[in-house]
């Protein structure tokens, strides 16, 4: 298969009979650590993947947007009327129309455009193909129209597109990661202030690699379980008299837990409070260049998600256990849970044996074979040409 950017330009030429004015790329992401902390006003630490979505694009006359995606094979076309009424453009086009809508809503004079979209971010695997699509389209439109929208304000806008136009209740992490991540860094995001810091994450320099395993676990009841976890966290915060669980520190945890009589709420609160601390501890280690030492924090995060937050599934636990048994320095589920991907921190030359061990463990359990890839922290959204 040719490069994702070449395919976007070739697609543009074929669909629109002319070369594009430029190419914009935006990556998928994984969250290194900090799960279900976002809606508790806490901390997350994603990094961008080398897998990207590319928009080859040019302006066109009037307020019209014509979009081809290689993944669906179709070309869709919509005007301002459809954009201005969330819901009118459905399916994958909603992510594109949503970006145009959010820009217009914020008062920007969005140029009409033709776009050809290609991607090597797998869809629905928890690697955030949706934010990659939004970010690729957003950066293309901002540049084509010369819009006054600095990078720090773009994630909020892309999030609005997904929340209000697509109708998916996501936090700010995915869009922040896709737009703002830097090569060789993780993005430390404070979900309360929306402040970000770029934390050096030099896997290669430390002789390490990150293995991403797509568990292929079917997302069982994920939406309902997500809502239930949010509710538990809100109930816990209310009972403890704090605006959000972010406001409970690890030092205060025992006292706080003693005030909660429901054992389930206690477990949920313990996960969130300890997970916030694990993010802070990971950031401190990375800042000190002690990359290899984050392994135990990743594994502790997994145990907390498995036992306290109860959001893992057999496929995921099997992958984590097999990776650790095969010598991974740390491993955890990444993403909201009930499926998705597992991260394993490994010695650079151990990525293949660890992946093989996970595949063998899956076969033994009779699970559908997992996919895997090895990644390094990669750049956020950029204009390529
Ligand atoms: P994730 O973000 O974890 O991959 P989501 O369900 O949030 O999963 O988003 C996946 C959806 O995003 C797809 O079903 C599709 O509608 C849309 N999408 C993402 N990338 C593309 C693409 N390159 N072309 C068309 N649609 C895409
Ligand atoms: Mg998504």
């Amino acid at each position: 298969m040719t490069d994702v950017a070449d395919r976007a330009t070739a697609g543009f030429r074929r669909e629109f009979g002319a070369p594009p004015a430029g190419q914009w790329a935006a990556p998928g992401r994984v969250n290194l650590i900090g799960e279900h902390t976002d809606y508790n006003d806490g901390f997350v630490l994603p990094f961008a993947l080398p897998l990207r979505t590319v928009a080859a694009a040019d302006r066109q006359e009037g307020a019209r947007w014509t979009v081809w995606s290689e993944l669906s094979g179709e070309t869709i076309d919509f005007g301002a009327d459809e954009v201005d009424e969330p819901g009118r453009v459905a399916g994958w086009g909603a992510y594109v129309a949503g970006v145009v809508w959010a820009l217009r809503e914020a008062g920007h004079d969005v140029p009409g455009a033709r776009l050809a979209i290609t991607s090597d971010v797998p869809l629905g695997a928890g690697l955030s193909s949706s934010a990659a699509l939004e970010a690729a389209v957003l950066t293309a439109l901002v540049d084509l129209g010369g819009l006054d929208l600095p990078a720090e304000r773009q994630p909020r806008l892309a999030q609005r597109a997904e929340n209000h136009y697509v109708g998916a209740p996501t936090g700010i992490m995915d869009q922040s990661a896709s737009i703002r991540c830097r090569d060789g860094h993780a993005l430390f995001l404070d979900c309360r202030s929306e402040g970000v810091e770029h934390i050096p994450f030099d896997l290669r320099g430390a002789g390490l690699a990150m293995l991403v395993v797509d568990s292929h676990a079917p997302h069982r009841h994920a939406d309902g379980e997500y809502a239930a976890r949010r509710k538990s966290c809100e109930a816990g915060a209310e009972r403890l008299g704090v605006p959000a669980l972010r406001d409970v520190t690890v030092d205060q945890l025992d006292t706080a837990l003693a005030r909660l009589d429901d054992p389930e709420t206690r477990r949920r609160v313990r996960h969130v409070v300890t997970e916030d601390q694990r993010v802070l501890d990971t950031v401190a280690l990375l800042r000190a260049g002690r990359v290899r030492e984050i392994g135990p924090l990743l594994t502790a995060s997994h145990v907390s998600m498995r036992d306290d937050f109860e959001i893992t599934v057999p496929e995921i636990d099997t992958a984590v256990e097999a990776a650790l048994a095969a010598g991974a320095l740390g491993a955890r589920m990444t993403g909201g849970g009930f499926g998705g991907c597992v991260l394993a921190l490994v010695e650079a030359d151990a990525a293949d044996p660890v992946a093989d061990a996970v595949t063998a463990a899956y076969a033994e359990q009779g699970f559908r074979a997992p996919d895997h890839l090895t990644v390094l922290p990669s750049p956020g959204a950029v204009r390529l040409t």
Side-chain angles (χ1 to χ4, degrees), residues 34 45 64 93 107 124-125 158 174 181 189 195 212 223 238 248 316 318 352 356 371:
L45 190 62
R64 282 217 81 74
D174 298 353
C181 276
L189 172 63
V212 178
D223 291 349
E238 197 183 315
V248 181
I316 292 277
T318 297
D352 287 338
D356 290 346
D371 281 330

Side-chain angles (χ1 to χ4, degrees), residues 29 95 124 126-132 134 162 168 170 174-175:
R29 61 94 192 97
Y95 294 87
L127 301 180
S128 201
S129 69
S130 59
E134 290 151 8
E162 187 150 348
T170 60
D174 298 353
Q175 293 82 5

Side-chain angles (χ1 to χ4, degrees), residues 38-39 41 94-95 98-103 105 128 130-135 138 149 151-179 189-192 194 226 230:
D38 57 348
Y39 55 82
D41 276 5
Y95 294 87
V99 168
V100 177
W101 169 80
L103 280 168
E105 244 234 343
S128 201
S130 59
L133 175 57
E134 290 151 8
L138 177 60
L149 187 67
E152 59 269 23
R153 289 191 2 237
Q154 292 177 10
R156 169 64 70 207
L157 202 132
Q159 184 201 8
R160 276 182 62 71
E162 187 150 348
N163 291 171
H164 294 275
Y165 202 99
V166 179
T170 60
I172 190 92
M173 171 168 71
D174 298 353
Q175 293 82 5
S176 298
S178 189
I179 291 166
L189 172 63
D190 178 334
C191 297
R192 174 170 278 168
E194 290 179 16
Y226 177 83
R230 278 190 86 132

